[in-house]
Amino acid sequence: MNHALEAPTPTTPDLPVVSVDPAVAVQALKPLARVTGLFVLLRPRQWVKGSLVLAAPLVAAPGATVTHIVPLLGTLLSFLAAASAVYVFNDLRDRERDRLHPVKRNRPLASGRVSTTAAVILLVGLLTGTAALATLLPALTGVVVAGYLALNLWYCLALKHQPLVDVSVVSIGFVLRVLAGTIAVGAAVHPALLIGVYCACLALSLGKRRHELAALSAAGGEAGEHRPALRAYSVHFLDQMVVVNLVAALIGYVAFVWTQTPPYGPVTAGLTFPFAAFAVHRYLQMIAMGGSRGDPVEDLVRDRALLVNLGLWAAVLAQAMLAGTWHVW
């Protein structure tokens, strides 16, 4: 074998080995982690609840919504800021308790991703922003926003530990969103709509408590360990209360739609009732068969059947309004 014909083996010069100190890498990521943690602290996934500020005027008075879009959007922003302020305040108060919870310990304050000082500064900014926005709104709308904020701060301090009062306060918060949106566009307030919203939200809040209680029971935990009000509930009692309030919500919905300009209100109520009933049946199926995740917002955005039903429901209502069969303020 002729070794002279063999190509020489190329050599690669030695490159310096660069080592990265893990502490330096973590330090470099801290600013981003803090910003992300502050954003998560606002609970942006819960902002969808603010849609009730827009939904009520759009359904009850679409004409007024167009002419009052600026105060309506201002009302929406004020409720988003107020709700986030309440979440930050709640997490500040409960950060020690949250560290003992298998899920809540991952919250920004409980996990240490956000410092107490940063959270307090964020809270002051949110409260200031809410107050500034409220002063730009119609006087009565501003009063409703202030009432929502005061009630929910009281909820964080004491009311959330009182059985039945806890879920009632949460439901009233949704009613106040509907009320503020309606007042912001100068539309008439429909008691049946407020009753329907209250009962529907009360059912969802009770369903969330049921999920928490069932999860604790399955894990062998003690009821009330992380939420003292759970000691006064049972799965059987909550099942009954969910059904009662969902039925009441259906009655309120039909009564509201029925009272629109005759004779079209009853027709629209009849056409859309199957969608309302399906939403009730689907939710009951989810909580009874273990399909609910315990968060109504998450249940809605993740369940395809509910999303399709909601889209069809909205389409029928929109068609009724476009066809002139709906009362336009």
Side-chain angles (χ1 to χ4, degrees):
M1 183 175 182
N2 189 355
H3 295 283
L5 298 178
E6 293 182 3
T9 304
T11 59
T12 303
D14 295 335
L15 298 176
V17 178
V18 179
S19 61
V20 179
D21 187 349
V24 174
V26 171
Q27 188 68 27
L29 292 174
K30 276 188 176 181
L32 178 60
R34 281 196 291 267
V35 172
T36 304
L38 286 171
F39 183 69
V40 173
L41 197 59
L42 299 175
R43 308 270 185 94
R45 295 183 64 180
Q46 302 298 327
W47 288 347
V48 68
K49 297 175 181 178
S51 62
L52 281 176
V53 174
L54 304 176
L58 282 172
V59 173
T65 301
V66 176
T67 58
H68 295 75
I69 189 65
V70 174
L72 184 59
L73 291 178
T75 303
L76 172 63
L77 290 175
S78 65
F79 267 97
L80 294 182
S84 290
V86 171
Y87 288 132
V88 175
F89 181 74
N90 179 75
D91 287 0
L92 275 168
R93 280 186 54 84
D94 289 354
R95 61 187 183 278
E96 298 299 332
R97 185 194 298 268
D98 288 346
R99 291 190 178 107
L100 305 176
H101 192 275
V103 176
K104 294 180 181 180
R105 65 185 180 187
N106 296 317
R107 288 178 174 176
L109 277 166
S111 64
R113 283 186 292 161
V114 173
S115 66
T116 302
T117 302
V120 170
I121 294 173
L122 179 61
L123 175 60
V124 172
L126 289 168
L127 292 174
T128 304
T130 302
L133 286 168
T135 58
L136 301 176
L137 300 174
L140 190 54
T141 306
V143 170
V144 175
V145 174
Y148 169 87
L149 185 59
L151 180 64
N152 280 275
L153 291 176
W154 188 14
Y155 171 86
C156 295
L157 290 171
L159 297 182
K160 68 179 182 179
H161 300 310
Q162 304 301 318
L164 294 182
V165 175
D166 60 336
V167 290
S168 298
V169 170
V170 172
S171 304
I172 291 172
F174 287 98
V175 173
L176 292 177
R177 288 178 173 93
V178 172
L179 184 62
T182 304
I183 295 173
V185 300
V189 176
H190 297 271
L193 176 61
L194 299 182
I195 292 171
V197 170
Y198 175 79
C199 291
C201 294
L202 187 57
L204 295 176
S205 297
L206 291 166
K208 184 176 181 180
R209 297 292 184 270
R210 184 197 185 282
H211 177 85
E212 293 173 348
L213 199 60
L216 278 173
S217 178
E222 180 182 351
E225 183 178 358
H226 299 288
R227 191 187 292 274
L230 287 179
R231 296 191 181 98
Y233 295 135
S234 70
V235 172
H236 178 66
F237 168 74
L238 291 172
D239 282 339
Q240 291 179 314
M241 293 302 294
V242 168
V243 172
V244 167
N245 281 280
L246 286 177
V247 171
L250 279 175
I251 295 173
Y253 170 76
V254 172
F256 163 66
V257 177
W258 198 284
T259 55
Q260 299 305 305
T261 305
Y264 305 111
V267 173
T268 305
L271 290 175
T272 58
F273 180 79
F275 301 108
F278 179 85
V280 167
H281 299 156
R282 178 59 178 160
Y283 181 68
L284 287 174
Q285 182 187 41
M286 291 173 69
I287 62 174
M289 305 301 293
S292 173
R293 297 173 180 266
D295 185 341
V297 174
E298 191 172 352
D299 288 341
L300 174 62
V301 300
R302 288 180 177 270
D303 188 76
R304 185 176 301 177
L306 280 176
L307 287 174
V308 171
N309 180 71
L310 180 62
L312 294 173
W313 189 356
V316 174
L317 284 174
Q319 181 62 34
M321 289 186 287
L322 290 174
T325 60
W326 196 261
H327 174 65
V328 179
W329 181 85

